[in-house]
Amino acid sequence: HIVIIMCRSNSTVENDTVSEGSDSTGRISTISAVSSSTAVAETVLLHSTTSTTLTTAAVTLPSSKKQPVGPMTRADVLQRSDPETLCLIIVDDKVYDCTQWQHRHPGGYLTIRALCGKDATDAFTYSHPKFVKDRMLASFFYADLIQTTKGQPNNKSKADKYNDEATVAFRELTEKMEEAGMFETDLTFYYKKAAVYSCMFLLVLAGVLCSDKLWIHALSGALLGLFWQQMAFVGHDLGHNSMTHNLQVDSFWGIIVGNLMTGVSMAWWKRSHNVHHVVTNSCDYDPDIQHLPVMAVDPTFFSQPLFSTYTNRYLQVDELSHFLV
């Protein structure tokens, strides 16, 4: 559930192994690639949004098939972008072509498509370690972005028509939290939680196996529900790779806590949750708010037909939906 294997012939990578992880601020997943002269097997561990341990080396990235063009405006980027044929995103003051990369992206192709033609600066910066931008992003360069104001490049630290006050304040707050070490984990917190949750589960087993009384079984069931709910919190942290900040370790325990103990696939959860964080509360992109026909969190679901890019279908609005909502 956690690993996707892809094979292709005539690899451009020769006997390289790369593990891509996050920095101390924490935000991404891992790719491991090992190849031979005739084929390459790429193991893509699904995306998580916190740090991992970086181990080495270089990987040949698929550069854009399209040749770089002259400077573009934001309107040009939006107009020319197409998820299938020319998937362009903006990061800082440059435009990048992710058409070929999107299906190899550790965070899933939906996260890239959700930002196709748009400014992905914040989503990219806070979902990747710094080395991705420093070493890899240039491989996808497509065009320079025309400056927003004559004589002045895009300024991430000042509010303007593209960076509102809330966005600038978010960047400043995140920087302060990183400097204060607030994204670093105190593992003693989880050690204590592990002891408490182990006792909860043992009490459930004792109540079910050591008693025939109905009320004890009922209490055991309630306690089991509480145990599962707490496991969901732990699984969330592991899915974000925010416990040990080592992708392999957090993925292993994520499968134990998620798949084995609660029946929630961590691969499925990451695939949907990554999109949720990139385009939070977008009615057509965010699967975490697409609840029809049971509920609707926004009038938009009823005001117009909406196509879910996650489920790849139109969200059904019928009499049952109107009745339940």
Side-chain angles (χ1 to χ4, degrees):
H1 291 295
I2 199 66
V3 177
I4 300 174
I5 301 295
M6 300 178 290
C7 293
R8 74 171 188 273
S9 60
N10 300 323
S11 169
T12 58
V13 187
E14 297 183 357
N15 299 323
D16 287 335
T17 301
V18 60
S19 178
E20 303 174 4
S22 298
D23 57 4
S24 59
T25 62
R27 316 270 191 230
I28 201 180
S29 58
T30 294
I31 301 175
S32 298
V34 180
S35 68
S36 65
S37 59
T38 57
V40 59
E42 296 172 333
T43 305
V44 180
L45 299 182
L46 296 184
H47 178 77
S48 65
T49 51
T50 50
S51 62
T52 63
T53 299
L54 173 63
T55 63
T56 80
V59 62
T60 301
L61 295 174
S63 58
S64 170
K65 287 186 177 180
K66 310 252 185 335
Q67 294 298 319
V69 300
M72 303 174 67
T73 65
R74 292 174 183 269
D76 292 335
V77 176
L78 182 61
Q79 182 179 7
R80 298 185 192 180
S81 295
D82 180 88
E84 297 288 348
T85 60
L86 186 60
C87 187
L88 301 178
I89 64 171
I90 298 170
V91 178
D92 292 330
D93 57 353
K94 297 185 185 302
V95 182
Y96 298 94
D97 179 5
C98 298
T99 310
Q100 302 301 316
W101 172 246
Q102 58 179 313
H103 291 289
R104 298 174 59 188
H105 181 227
Y109 71 93
L110 291 176
T111 53
I112 294 180
R113 290 195 172 196
L115 297 170
C116 180
K118 303 174 184 177
D119 192 324
T121 301
D122 287 317
F124 178 87
T125 302
Y126 299 117
S127 297
H128 299 83
K130 293 180 181 179
F131 80 87
V132 173
K133 183 176 182 180
D134 295 340
R135 306 178 200 173
M136 301 179 179
L137 194 57
S139 301
F140 307 101
F141 175 77
Y142 185 77
D144 287 311
L145 185 69
I146 293 178
Q147 297 175 350
T148 56
T149 304
K150 187 175 182 180
Q152 294 183 353
N154 295 327
N155 194 332
K156 291 175 63 178
S157 62
K158 294 183 179 180
D160 55 34
K161 65 181 297 185
Y162 300 112
N163 301 312
D164 57 31
E165 293 182 2
T167 298
V168 174
F170 165 75
R171 293 167 179 167
E172 293 175 348
L173 177 61
T174 302
E175 184 176 354
K176 291 179 180 178
M177 294 175 70
E178 289 174 349
E179 292 175 352
M182 297 181 70
F183 290 106
E184 298 302 316
T185 305
D186 180 5
L187 289 177
T188 58
F189 172 83
Y190 288 103
Y191 295 149
K192 294 175 182 177
K193 291 294 183 182
V196 173
Y197 300 153
S198 297
C199 291
M200 290 174 62
F201 190 66
L202 289 175
L203 284 174
V204 171
L205 291 179
V208 172
L209 300 177
C210 299
S211 176
D212 294 328
K213 295 182 179 179
L214 179 61
W215 68 271
I216 292 182
H217 284 191
L219 287 177
S220 298
L223 186 60
L224 179 61
L226 181 61
F227 170 80
W228 279 336
Q229 182 262 343
Q230 293 297 307
M231 286 296 99
F233 281 138
V234 175
H236 177 274
D237 292 351
L238 290 167
H240 276 295
N241 201 34
S242 60
M243 185 175 293
T244 67
H245 304 297
N246 181 295
L247 182 64
Q248 287 76 20
V249 174
D250 283 352
S251 295
F252 171 80
W253 285 109
I255 293 175
I256 298 298
V257 171
N259 297 53
L260 179 62
M261 303 192 72
T262 64
V264 177
S265 166
M266 291 302 294
W268 165 83
W269 183 87
K270 288 184 180 183
R271 183 175 184 269
S272 65
H273 205 65
N274 289 338
V275 180
H276 165 71
H277 274 287
V278 170
V279 280
T280 307
N281 292 342
S282 168
C283 293
D284 46 356
Y285 281 100
D286 187 354
D288 282 12
I289 66 168
Q290 295 174 355
H291 306 306
L292 288 177
V294 179
M295 69 174 73
V297 299
D298 191 283
T300 306
F301 287 103
F302 286 96
S303 62
Q304 59 187 13
L306 281 179
F307 184 82
S308 169
T309 59
Y310 182 78
T311 59
N312 200 33
R313 64 178 178 84
Y314 279 96
L315 299 175
Q316 185 176 4
V317 179
D318 51 20
E319 293 183 359
L320 177 62
S321 301
H322 282 279
F323 173 78
L324 291 176
V325 173

